[in-house]
Structures are given as C-alpha cells and as structure tokens.
Amino acid sequence: MKKIFCILLFLVAQSTFAQIKMEGIVRDSLKNPLELANVIAINKATSTLESYSITDQQGKYKLALKKNSKYKIQVSYIGLKTLEDSLTTKETSVTKDFVLKEDTTLDEVELTYEMPVTIKGDTLIYNADSFKNGTERKLEDVLEKLPGVEINEDGQIEVEGKVVNKLMVNGKDFFDGDTKLATKNIPSKAVDKIQVLRNYSEVGQLRSVTNNQDNVAINIKLKEGKENFWFGNVTVGGGSSPDDELYLVQPKLFYYSPKYSINFIGDLNNIGEVALSRRDIRGFGGGFRAPSRSSGTNINLGDNGLNFLTNQGNALEIENKLATGNFSYSPTKALDLSGFVIYNSSRILSKETSFVQYTDPDLGIPDEATEQRSRERSDQALVKLSATFQPNLNNQLDYDVLARTSNDSQVQGVFSSVIGNTDQVDTVKPFSINQNINYYYTINENNILAFEAQHLFKNEDPFYNARLDNGLNSAFDTTAAGLGLDTAQDIYDLAQNRRIQSNQLDAKLDYYNILNTKSNINFTLGTILSRQDFNSNLFQFRGTGIQFNPIPSFNNGQITNDVTYNFSDVYLGVHYRLKSGKFTFTPGFSVHAYGNNNSQGGETFKDNFFRVLPDFETRIQFKKSEALTLRYDMRNQFTDVTRLAEGLVMNNFNSFQFGAPDLQNALSHNVSLVYTSFNLFNYTNVFARASYSSNIDQIRSLTDFESVIRTSTFFNSNFADENVNVFGRVQRTFGKVRASLNASFNYSKINQFIQGQQSLNEGFTQTYRPGIRTNFRVAPNVSLNYQYSVTNNTQGGRKTKFVTNAPSIDFDAYIWKRITFRSDYTYNNQDLGNGQSQSFQTWNASLSYRKDRDAKWEYELKATNILDISSQVRNSANNLSVFTSETFIQPRFVTFRFIYTL
C-alpha cells in the first residue's frame, strides 16, 4: 500500500512539474466579463483535448498545459461568435485575455472537441466520452469520474451532496427513476451525455411556485445510432468452488425510440452478484411520494416483514433469480404510458456468531455469546402502471398504481451461551396496493390549482414458531412460568399468528396565487385518514398438533389481540414565498385537527386535539452554484397499531412486548443548515449539512430483563431525546487528479428505562474519509481511499469505544487497447477498545479481453475473495446492548465469462 501510494504521488508530481498555467479573462465587446464561457485547449501534436475551463463571475479562466507544446485554443459562449487562436507554450506560464464578438454571420468555427462540462441554466451537462479511458463497462463507472458526482455506500447517485431521486434515459423514466438499477446495468458505451437537472420539478406548472432546490434528476442521453435499435449485452459465465458448480446468466437489453422504450434486465447466478437486493426491492417506492410529506404529520404504519439474519452481500451460499421489465409508450403527444415488472427470488444460507453485552453491568444482565445459522427463502414481485395525460400546458392528470407481494421464510438455528439451543421458523406473505392520482390546473398566469391523492392498502400475516430445550436449570423457565406455559414439556414449542391490515388515504388540495414576480402565496387543505386492524394469538404446542392457550401471570392475563385503530388529520396550511435579492424567504404554518381512537377489549380510547405546526425556510443564493439554506419545522409523530395493542406479542423467543392504548403522539423540533458550492473555475465542490432534532414526549420502552429475555411496554417519556448530525464533503480536481475529503459527526442522546431505572444513552460517532483518484486517458488509474471512524457509547455504567481503520485501493488499466485489468483491495481493522482488535481483508480482480472498443465479444476472468477469508467482523451498539459479530461469507470464486454486446 505504501509503495503504491508513493508511486501515485510521484506520478502526480511529475505531471505537475511538467505543466505550466495559462490564465486570463474572457469579455464581450463591451468589456463586460463573461461568466460560464467555455475555454478549451487542443494539443496539435496529438489532436486530443488537453485542458478545459469554465469562466467564473469575473470571467476568469485557468488551463493546465504542457511545456514546449503547440495548442489550438477555442473560446465559446452562447449567442457570441466562437473564437479560435493558436498558442505555443514555453517554460513559463501564460496570461492571455479574449474578447468575444456578436455572432452576425452564419459561419461558425467548427468545434473540434466538445466541452467536457457545460452549463445551461439549471442544467449541468457532462460529455461522457471526455471522462472515459476504456475500462468502463457500466454507467456507474462513468459517473464515478465526473466532478461533483458520487456513488454513495447505498448505491445511490449524489450530485453536489444531494441524492438523485429520478433518473431518465432519453427523457423517459427508467424503472420510475430508480438509480441503482440504472448505474449497475446501463452499458457505458451507449452513454453520450449525462444531464444533471438541478431544481427539478416533475410538474412544469409548479416550477415557479415551489421550492425545488433539493430536487435533482439525471437524464442519460444515448449516443446516435442507439435509437430504434436494441442495444445492451448478455453475460454468460461459470466456474467451480469447493462445494458447488458456479453459474451466471445476465441479459441486459434496451430499446429506445421517440415513441416507446422497452428495457429488460435479467440475472441468474449463485456467486452473490446481486443486481437488486431484498432490501432494495422492499424500499422500491416506484416514485410514490405522500401528499402530506411537508404537512408536519408523520404516521407510522409499521413494517412487519421478516428481519433476515444477513443481507445478500454477506452469506455462505447465495442463489438469486431476477427478471425485470420496464416500458414507456406515447400513443399521442398528450398521453404517456409507462410501467415496470420486477420479480426476484433468492435462496440464502447464512451463519453469524456474536458476543453481546447488555447495557449497564450493574443491572445483573449476563453477557451472551450466540451462534446462528439461517436458511432464507424470498420471492418478491412488483408491478407498476402509470399514465400521464397533458392535453395542453394548463392541464395535467397523473395516475399510478403499484402492487407488491412476497413470500418470505426463514428457518433458523440459534445457540445461546445463556439459553441453549433454539429452532425458529418465520414466514410472511404480505401484499399491498398503492394508488396515486394527481391533477394540476393552471387557471391563468397568476392562479394554479393542484390536487394530489394517494391510497394504500396493506396486508401482513407474519407467523413465528420457536422451539427451546427445557433442560435442567433452563434460563427460560422463569419466563415460561410467567407466560403460563406448560413447563412439563421437554420442548417449549411456542407459536404466534399475527395479521395487520392497513388502509390509508392521504389527499390535499393546493391553491397557488402569484402575487408578483417576487412573491406568491400557497393555501393547502389536506387530510390523512387511516385505519389499522391488528389480530394476534400466542399459543403453545403440546404434543403433535395439540394447541394450548396459556394465560400469563402478568399484563392482566392478556395474550391475544383484536384491535382497531383509526386516525384522522384535517389540516389547513399557509405558506408565503418572497424573493428579495439573494434571499428567498418561505415562512408558513399549518393548523391540524387530529382525531384518533383505538378499540380493544370492549373499550375505546380516544384522543382529539388541535395543534399549530410552524415551519420556515430561508435560502441565500450567493451565486448560481453557491447557496446556503436554513430550515426549521415542527412535526407530530404518531405510532402504529402494534404499540397500542394491550395483548402480549412475541417479537422473538427472547423478546416480548405489550402495548399501551393511551399512547400520545411525539413532537419534534427540527433545524437544518445546508451549504452547497460547485465551482467549475477551480473544479471545487463543497457540500455541508448540519441538523439538530429534539423529540418531546417520544414513545419509549419500559424494559425488564429476566436473564437475557426481555419484556417491554411503552409510554410517552417526558425526557427529551436529541440528535445532532454534521456532514461535510470537499472535492477538488487538480488536472487529472481528484482529491476529496468526507467527514461526518453524529451525536445522539436517548433516555432508556430498564429494570425500573432511568439511564441516559449517549453515542458519538465521527468518521473521516479522505481519498484521491486519477483520471488519465492512457495511463493506469488508481483510487486510494481511507476511512477512519471512532464510535463512543455510554450506556448507563458501561462505556465502549470502537475504532475502525479501513484503507482501500482500486486499480484499473486499459492495456494495448485490448486488455482491461481491474482490481480492488480493502483492509479493515476494528479496535474494540479493550486491547483487542479484529481485522479482515477483501481483494477482487478481473482481467478481460476484447479485440477493440467496438468488438462484439469480450472474454473475462474474474476472481472474488482472492484471499479466501472466511468471515467479516462488525462492531455496533443499540439502545440495549453493544455487540461484536462475525459474519461468514462465500469462499474464493473464480469464474470465466463471455460477454456479447448488441
């Protein structure tokens, strides 16, 4: 690692010393400086683009050129005549100004090279070919090289620190804007331009009256010749492993025309290369956004899906099948139809060991070592259909429907050093249907109406079964007696049926009045109507098929649930928007009439009240690409039905809960400050965000432990919980080298209540990630990154500290214009703070051959987990415990692949 780092620094130094600087000012014929003018330098000897610059507010530009070389300089600006000049560099820097004149003729200087980056209003356009060196295969490989663009740890695209929430190809939605499917599958050679749409609004009628500063979209423009033709690639591969034969089939096919598009992505493999994980699919929103998202009301409908032991990237065995299809069709100019289908099937074998220390050691809860093995099955399906009808500029009607279902199961064996052996079975077959209808009507140039409504129906039916040994001195005996179980059985065989049905309508009507060119006012009338029905039954099996219904000695003997929970919110909101110079002010408030009630056990618990929720935003636009935004809002958070249900619920064999029907809502104050700056003059990108939240009447648990088995109920805590987050990123490009520094800080303060005692949990995590990467067109490229993280936790009388050091290197080279070599290596060391440390390494590499860049066939040899490590380690903490875990992973895999490009 040190040698590679020294070599990289040497190359950077050599590159720097061999260059001179050319700078100056670009003006118009009236001597006014021109901002965002393009200046490029083309090396006459190689006919390649050597350097480019975009002028700042003062019209300044700066180019890095080689000594003793000849260049053709081109200067351009929209609406003015392009200027062409020649330059011969020597040993010293050059200062040269340019004056652009009005374009009064039809003749133009032919641009030999396109600008790598151009700006048109709020649109930032990257010319993809300017950043490619031949090793790219997917869209993701190109995006990672663009200044101001990053792929975060979750696979999402970030531009100037903002997550891209919509991705299109040739202006058409790609799987409703899911960025991960696009970055992992769209072939890089098909990409011509990458258009970053800042301040993006899906509804053009509302663009001038809504704040869209946080909305970023990307449109991928395809190369000429990719329209009206199928393109993409098909990968087929295989190999061997110690336990099984390996296989891989991945067709990725795309068709685009002005009228319609069809995309198909398939994946069939047992080597752990997952295009979409179960978590990705569960979070696949299909572009749905709740109409009440900015109202100040949050109601949690809960998630009762399975909590699988591991994700699809960390397991001993992984078999995955994926089939996805996406289409768009425009039968007329006024009507657009689109939709997608996603089917995913996975089979996983996982193993994990952990050591758990529960909160304050003075409470007498023993430490616990566990070993878990899990056989997981998941079949998921999503179907989405959308229609947009826009007969004219004043009317737009949207309709969407998304249906999802799954069939998930998990068979798990657990050994606990305290409880002994336990066998568990989890199954769930949930389904949901989400519908959305929006209508936007422009009455006249000063008045706009917008109606948005969304309906969700969700049905969840989790079943859980646990079998525990009833040996001598069983740690479960006291809990079993409290539950009212038959303790004479050799096996404690517990089971629980649950069903949760959720039905919610979320709708609002907005009226916008444009008062003048600087201000507008918005009135909102909205409602949220929700109903949840919850049934559960906990029972014991005695012998084959004999069901016994126990009666616990606590919680008033309630062990079943039959609850109906109704919630309503009717609100009126007012927001005023004013632009004054560099400032944009948006103060507002909403008045809410809340009504909620739950019925169970023959009783009804009601809570009706009014509340005013203020919010405020101030934005300072220093420059076109530099801004500071301050936000404040107050929010009401309402819980789901499972925390209101009085009957006993078994979350796990070592975790039970019962709710409180009189729970109230939690109130939070939230403040954030965001700074963004994107400077194409000196290639510097800065993003910083600081946020603070304070939660009042937060719903907290009262937890009692019997050994390591906990029973919890809930209440509204009058102790305020707080959270502070700070994140910053600085990115700077020096010629062909880009340096970056990410830093994040998180502080949380949570009040918890265990064994009848209140204690304060405090957690502070700081993470630093410096990095440097090259982007040479011919020479090999290296990316060096380092992550340093420190986590301090205070849980009552227990203090822990985890320190993580994780250097990594990515290397790619394009050799003889035929061979592509890529490799990535990471070393992860975790200090447990007690004199002990754990570490693991990951190393992957691939070598591929194709006759030339336009060749149809490519042959690839790929190796994963080259060091053949058996496991990865992780240290973490939650409200109740700190733990160290070791997850076992797939062994070394070597596969050979054929890739055919259409």
Side-chain angles (χ1 to χ4, degrees), residues 685-862:
N685 175 37
V686 180
F687 173 80
R689 175 185 173 88
S691 62
Y692 167 80
S693 63
S694 175
N695 296 291
I696 304 168
D697 288 336
Q698 184 79 6
I699 295 176
R700 285 292 171 211
S701 61
L702 289 167
T703 303
D704 288 314
F705 275 86
E706 179 60 45
S707 184
V708 295
I709 303 165
R710 59 184 178 270
T711 303
S712 303
T713 188
F714 306 96
F715 78 113
N716 287 97
S717 169
N718 55 8
F719 294 91
D721 296 333
E722 297 176 298
N723 189 274
V724 178
N725 276 291
V726 179
F727 174 79
R729 175 190 295 137
V730 179
Q731 187 185 92
R732 179 74 184 268
T733 302
F734 305 89
K736 299 297 183 181
V737 179
R738 188 173 76 190
S740 63
L741 173 63
N742 293 359
S744 62
F745 307 88
N746 174 263
Y747 169 78
S748 62
K749 184 181 77 172
I750 298 174
N751 292 273
Q752 68 172 7
F753 303 83
I754 299 177
Q755 312 293 68
Q757 299 182 27
Q758 182 267 340
S759 64
L760 184 65
N761 275 13
E762 292 183 288
F764 177 59
T765 300
Q766 48 186 319
T767 303
Y768 307 90
R769 289 190 295 270
I772 185 170
R773 69 176 298 157
T774 64
N775 192 23
F776 299 111
R777 293 296 295 266
V778 179
N781 286 291
V782 178
S783 176
L784 290 172
N785 295 280
Y786 183 80
Q787 178 174 320
Y788 176 76
S789 178
V790 181
T791 301
N792 292 278
N793 289 286
T794 300
Q795 297 182 316
R798 186 189 300 277
K799 293 185 178 181
T800 57
K801 180 179 181 180
F802 301 136
V803 180
T804 300
N805 291 273
S808 64
I809 179 170
D810 286 27
F811 175 86
D812 65 79
Y814 191 46
I815 307 168
W816 305 315
K817 297 184 178 180
R818 288 180 174 87
I819 297 174
T820 299
F821 176 69
R822 308 183 71 170
S823 181
D824 61 86
Y825 170 83
T826 301
Y827 174 78
N828 192 301
N829 180 270
Q830 299 184 16
D831 188 332
L832 307 183
N834 56 4
Q836 299 179 1
S837 65
Q838 298 173 311
S839 63
F840 63 91
Q841 306 172 70
T842 58
W843 182 21
N844 308 300
S846 66
L847 185 68
S848 60
Y849 169 83
R850 58 182 178 182
K851 186 177 180 180
D852 53 55
R853 292 194 184 194
D854 297 323
K856 295 289 186 182
W857 287 97
E858 183 173 7
Y859 311 94
E860 182 180 36
L861 183 67
K862 187 171 185 177

Side-chain angles (χ1 to χ4, degrees), residues 369 535 606 717 797:
N535 297 277
K606 296 183 179 180
S717 169

Side-chain angles (χ1 to χ4, degrees), residues 244-306:
D244 203 356
E245 295 297 319
L246 305 176
Y247 58 85
L248 171 75
V249 181
Q250 293 178 333
K252 302 171 184 179
L253 308 174
F254 310 90
Y255 181 91
Y256 280 86
S257 72
K259 203 166 188 177
Y260 67 91
S261 68
I262 302 173
N263 304 302
F264 174 79
I265 298 172
D267 184 11
L268 177 67
N269 75 80
N270 65 345
I271 60 177
E273 290 189 11
V274 181
L276 280 179
S277 68
R278 293 176 309 215
R279 178 184 173 187
D280 293 332
I281 296 176
R282 286 176 65 176
F284 206 96
F288 279 77
R289 294 185 299 169
S292 61
R293 58 190 175 274
S294 59
S295 69
T297 299
N298 293 328
I299 177 169
N300 179 18
L301 297 182
D303 181 1
N304 298 279
L306 294 191

Side-chain angles (χ1 to χ4, degrees), residues 130 152 284 310 329 359 831 846 885 890:
S130 299
N152 64 25
F284 206 96
T310 57
Y329 176 55
T359 188
D831 188 332
S846 66
S885 64
Q890 291 178 309

Side-chain angles (χ1 to χ4, degrees), residues 120 137 278 330 390 414 508 567 612 671 688 755 848 870:
K120 294 182 180 179
R137 295 296 183 271
R278 293 176 309 215
S330 302
Q390 190 173 14
V414 182
K508 71 170 182 174
F567 170 87
V612 178
V671 182
Q755 312 293 68
S848 60
S870 60

